Amino acid sequence: MRIMIRELQTDVLVIGGGIAGAFAAYKARQSGARVLLVDRSYFGRSGCSALASGVYPSYMPGDKEEDWVQGLGAGPLVNQRLLVKSLPVMYEHLMTMDRWGVKWLKEGQHIARMGAPGRTFKNGAWMTEGGPQMMMGVRAGVLQSGVEVLNRMAVTELLTSDGNLPTEGEIIGAIGFHVRTGDIYVIQAKATIMCTGPYKFPYPWPGSTLGYMPIDLSGDGIAMMLRAGAQLSRLELGGINLNPDYLLCAPGLEALMPSGAKYVNKDGRRFLEDYDPKRMEMTSRALLYFAIAHQKEMGNIPSMDLRTIPSERLELLRKVIPIILSNFEGLGLDVSREPVPYSYQVAGTAGIFGAGARITDRGETTLRGLYAAGVCSDLAYLPGGHLSFCSVTGHWAGEAAGQYASRTEATRLVARQVEAAIAAIEAPLKRTDGLNYEPVHRGLGELLMRTVGLVLHADRLNEALEKLFEIRADQVSRLKARDYHELAKVWGLWQYCQVLEATLRAYLYRTESRVAFIREDFPVIDNINWVRMVVVERQDETLKLWDEPIPESFHLVPVRPTQHLHLVFRERISSHALG
Amino acid sequence: MPWVEINKAACTGCGVCVETCPTDVLRLDTELKAFAVYEADCQGCFICQWDCAFEAIIVRIRSHQPGES
């Protein structure tokens, strides 16, 4: 195979075309920069934003800031001050998207406010035709602003001014390949913004033919930033990947729960009363997902009862969250007759609540020339992976990157780094006697399913790390690719293995439990010793981890210095689960 | 598991599904009809079904029960 090498130049390179990348590109373009957005799939259809749960939480004029802080930002690891600063930006985005043709549920002329799990007040705008329509509207607006797009481009490495990884210089672009033509693109950029979303690794759970990682959610951007020397944080708090029983994707709980859907177990009991008797199904998103997966692990067959939802609301939901209801119909389940089994199960390590590059409130990483936004970053400790916080961090990163590019000259690429990166891209294609992708991926998934679950323990995490090193050295590095599509998967798995090592190390480092991060060996939520962030940085060939205090400036509501047992370990639940 | 059913009579070969499939499952075959060449990578997101203006693609899902292979 003869590979074509194409060289491109731009002011700002945006990697990833979800809502963070879209707003990053738009804001950078508004600053006058030439902007190129590259996407491993298709801008407007890739990743998580297009499959969003139909809800964009947004501030509106007249809202009380303290409602937002209490309702969404109450955790001690939340930058509450930044949350307040993000509020008007969310509203600006809501109005921008409305102008771009995104269809919102309205009451008269005004966008309606809807409730959602974990909120003390109604703050969600609903998309009347779901995430797919939202992202196509966003795509249209971004393209109209003059952003250039290159689809099906899998970026493999960041390029640095000194040619080294990790670098002591700055980030000056990126390199990758087209997943259909195989052409290699060498992109020189004054500023680069990483917006590659979360990493989700579905385990091959017993009895399922599912369990293959979609090629667009392997944490590539996070791995590239780590290799380049950027500090990462929040890896341990990014959440556990929970998949619905039947599918690799099907969001929707954010719209179903406030519509009146109830969760029951096989005995018809509403099990949320064991977890959060006050808020029940309207508990926090993290706890809701956890409770469902937890019941599933205990064999209680969590089912969703939609019969209490009024029929006109159900009709609306068919448009707001079409995927989930199409699933039920596709499975021959009649939601109007009986509760339908719908459970989330532990399906992997994940960064869905924001886990990745440590960023400032301007989207700056710890490397010059490199910015990050959305859930491949730590979201600057905004409350989590909602669409709004992804778009807002994209906005900040786009503005800052545009300004940086305007006062920066293009830096010459280092030939030996480009040559090495091209050789690395091609290697799996040339490895004709290499290993096949499927069994290696499955083997890694089975290891993780056994060792990393909803409830973590140092012994199992250490075993996972040890085996990960073996699998990475003996198998992943020997994978072959029979075509460019498979090459993207091989690269995804290789990148994922690096993010996984950093994540497992961060899991081990935080010796407490907190929300959906649960350590059997450290069952206490520790607001005395652990109001801290864990930072991971690659130094030469090893990862270095340390912790830093969450700055007091984050908090508008003082943190109470308490220690208490995570509710999972309280008697009522643990007698079922862990005994 | 998800998979896609393509109604070849209805498919016009416009290629929209090939362009937009998030996980790169689809291509056009030699008769210029959509074809799920990488079906194992289908994530069941229904994007192709929505994007098809000719109702030529249906995403199917098979549920699995514990113990079923």
Side-chain angles (χ1 to χ4, degrees), chain A residues 464-536:
Chain A
L465 261 177
E466 194 181 315
K467 296 270 168 46
L468 167 67
F469 291 139
E470 284 173 24
I471 291 174
R472 198 163 67 182
D474 302 341
Q475 298 179 28
V476 177
S477 63
R478 292 172 52 212
L479 285 172
K480 69 176 173 191
R482 288 161 292 196
D483 58 20
Y484 303 122
H485 174 92
E486 194 168 53
L487 185 63
K489 290 165 69 170
V490 168
W491 265 94
L493 194 58
W494 187 72
Q495 307 269 29
Y496 174 78
C497 283
Q498 304 189 27
V499 181
L500 178 60
E501 180 193 350
T503 302
L504 294 174
R505 294 280 305 275
Y507 284 166
L508 278 161
Y509 194 97
R510 181 174 286 277
T511 50
E512 63 148 3
S513 291
R514 185 173 291 278
V515 197
F517 172 72
I518 294 153
R519 290 281 303 259
E520 192 180 338
D521 43 354
F522 296 98
V524 167
I525 299 174
D526 187 348
N527 285 338
I528 296 176
N529 299 302
W530 271 111
V531 183
R532 303 180 76 80
M533 61 172 79
V534 176
V535 184
V536 185

Side-chain angles (χ1 to χ4, degrees), chain A residues 41-42 45-46 51 132 152 179-180 205-210 214-216 245-249 322-323 326-327 330-331 345 483 485 489, chain B residues 1-2 17-27 38 40-47 50-51 61-69:
Chain A
S41 293
Y42 179 86
R45 285 288 175 252
S46 59
L51 305 175
R152 305 287 170 191
V179 304
R180 295 201 178 149
W205 53 84
S208 172
T209 49
L210 271 183
I215 65 165
D216 59 348
D245 286 348
Y246 320 117
L247 292 175
L248 292 174
C249 59
I323 299 172
S326 299
N327 287 349
L331 288 160
Q345 49 195 317
D483 58 20
H485 174 92
K489 290 165 69 170
Chain B
M1 66 175 292
C17 59
V18 177
E19 200 167 9
T20 62
C21 171
T23 54
D24 196 34
V25 168
L26 299 158
R27 294 287 187 278
Y38 301 108
D41 294 329
C42 176
Q43 60 176 354
C45 66
F46 292 84
I47 291 274
W50 293 324
D51 282 347
I61 302 155
R62 184 180 68 87
S63 70
H64 89 269
Q65 301 300 321
E68 195 182 325
S69 63

Side-chain angles (χ1 to χ4, degrees), chain A residues 256-284:
Chain A
L256 282 160
M257 295 302 125
S259 297
K262 306 279 184 278
Y263 254 106
V264 294
N265 67 10
K266 62 185 175 190
D267 305 320
R269 192 171 72 84
R270 286 174 67 191
F271 56 81
L272 263 305
E273 68 186 17
D274 293 345
Y275 299 83
D276 188 345
K278 202 166 149 204
R279 295 188 292 178
M280 299 294 285
E281 283 85 358
M282 292 293 276
T283 187
S284 73

Side-chain angles (χ1 to χ4, degrees), chain B:
Chain B
M1 66 175 292
W3 74 94
V4 291
E5 270 180 22
I6 292 151
N7 177 347
K8 289 204 172 194
C11 176
T12 65
C14 72
V16 164
C17 59
V18 177
E19 200 167 9
T20 62
C21 171
T23 54
D24 196 34
V25 168
L26 299 158
R27 294 287 187 278
L28 293 183
D29 64 15
T30 50
E31 297 165 359
L32 297 182
K33 304 289 181 184
F35 168 55
V37 64
Y38 301 108
E39 196 165 67
D41 294 329
C42 176
Q43 60 176 354
C45 66
F46 292 84
I47 291 274
C48 56
Q49 189 173 316
W50 293 324
D51 282 347
C52 179
F54 306 97
E55 298 184 9
I57 295 194
I58 296 176
V59 176
R60 300 283 187 195
I61 302 155
R62 184 180 68 87
S63 70
H64 89 269
Q65 301 300 321
E68 195 182 325
S69 63

Side-chain angles (χ1 to χ4, degrees), chain A residues 1-7 176-178 181-186 422 425-426 484:
Chain A
M1 277 182 263
R2 184 79 203 102
I3 286 179
M4 181 81 81
I5 295 169
R6 301 178 186 275
E7 293 176 7
F177 64 95
H178 193 283
T181 65
D183 291 356
I184 287 177
Y185 284 85
V186 183
I422 292 171
I425 289 171
E426 292 181 314
Y484 303 122

Side-chain angles (χ1 to χ4, degrees), chain A residues 22-338:
Chain A
F23 274 93
Y26 177 66
K27 293 310 289 186
R29 178 72 196 129
Q30 277 199 321
S31 75
R34 287 178 303 161
V35 181
L36 173 64
L37 184 153
V38 300
D39 193 303
R40 187 162 53 175
S41 293
Y42 179 86
F43 174 39
R45 285 288 175 252
S46 59
C48 290
S49 297
L51 305 175
S53 65
V55 182
Y56 184 86
S58 177
Y59 171 85
M60 285 199 195
D63 283 2
K64 291 185 192 144
E65 288 175 357
E66 58 262 36
D67 283 346
W68 278 85
V69 173
Q70 294 292 347
L72 207 62
L77 300 191
V78 173
N79 189 339
Q80 295 160 352
R81 238 172 256 280
L82 194 59
L83 169 61
V84 170
K85 191 180 156 192
S86 76
L87 297 176
V89 187
M90 284 179 203
Y91 180 65
E92 181 190 324
H93 289 189
L94 188 67
M95 293 295 112
T96 302
M97 287 190 276
D98 192 49
R99 207 175 65 239
W100 285 343
V102 174
K103 293 175 185 167
W104 303 105
L105 181 65
K106 295 194 174 176
E107 283 166 353
Q109 294 294 306
H110 301 286
I111 295 171
R113 316 294 303 279
M114 308 295 274
R119 320 287 161 73
T120 51
F121 66 111
K122 291 182 177 181
N123 69 355
W126 279 20
M127 303 152 202
T128 54
E129 293 180 20
Q133 195 275 334
M134 174 198 72
M135 278 311 295
M136 286 315 250
V138 168
R139 174 189 160 87
V142 170
L143 289 180
Q144 202 176 21
S145 76
V147 169
E148 291 181 64
V149 173
L150 177 59
N151 290 316
R152 305 287 170 191
M153 154 80 173
V155 177
T156 57
E157 204 73 271
L158 291 167
L159 298 172
T160 61
S161 58
D162 59 6
N164 295 332
L165 297 172
T167 182
E168 289 179 5
E170 60 227 52
I171 301 303
I172 56 168
I175 187 168
F177 64 95
H178 193 283
V179 304
R180 295 201 178 149
T181 65
D183 291 356
I184 287 177
Y185 284 85
V186 183
I187 304 171
Q188 191 179 18
K190 295 173 183 171
T192 300
I193 312 177
M194 196 66 84
C195 303
T196 49
Y199 48 106
K200 291 180 69 174
F201 188 96
Y203 299 168
W205 53 84
S208 172
T209 49
L210 271 183
Y212 290 104
M213 175 170 55
I215 65 165
D216 59 348
L217 293 178
S218 48
D220 295 39
I222 304 165
M224 284 183 254
M225 293 190 285
L226 179 65
R227 279 200 300 283
Q231 291 177 9
L232 309 183
S233 92
R234 267 188 66 88
L235 292 183
E236 76 284 15
L237 301 173
I240 300 288
N241 177 19
L242 300 173
N243 274 338
D245 286 348
Y246 320 117
L247 292 175
L248 292 174
C249 59
L253 296 191
E254 287 211 46
L256 282 160
M257 295 302 125
S259 297
K262 306 279 184 278
Y263 254 106
V264 294
N265 67 10
K266 62 185 175 190
D267 305 320
R269 192 171 72 84
R270 286 174 67 191
F271 56 81
L272 263 305
E273 68 186 17
D274 293 345
Y275 299 83
D276 188 345
K278 202 166 149 204
R279 295 188 292 178
M280 299 294 285
E281 283 85 358
M282 292 293 276
T283 187
S284 73
R285 197 164 67 140
L287 192 56
L288 177 64
Y289 281 67
F290 172 83
I292 297 165
H294 193 216
Q295 290 292 313
K296 166 91 180 177
E297 285 209 338
M298 291 191 281
N300 289 342
I301 315 176
S303 297
M304 196 156 40
D305 192 345
L306 306 184
R307 290 173 301 179
T308 45
I309 299 179
S311 57
E312 63 274 22
R313 173 60 78 91
L314 203 56
E315 281 312 303
L316 175 63
L317 287 170
R318 280 185 211 286
K319 295 176 182 162
V320 175
I321 45 167
I323 299 172
I324 192 169
L325 292 165
S326 299
N327 287 349
F328 291 136
E329 281 164 16
L331 288 160
L333 297 170
D334 184 352
V335 298
S336 66
R337 283 187 46 208
E338 58 192 343

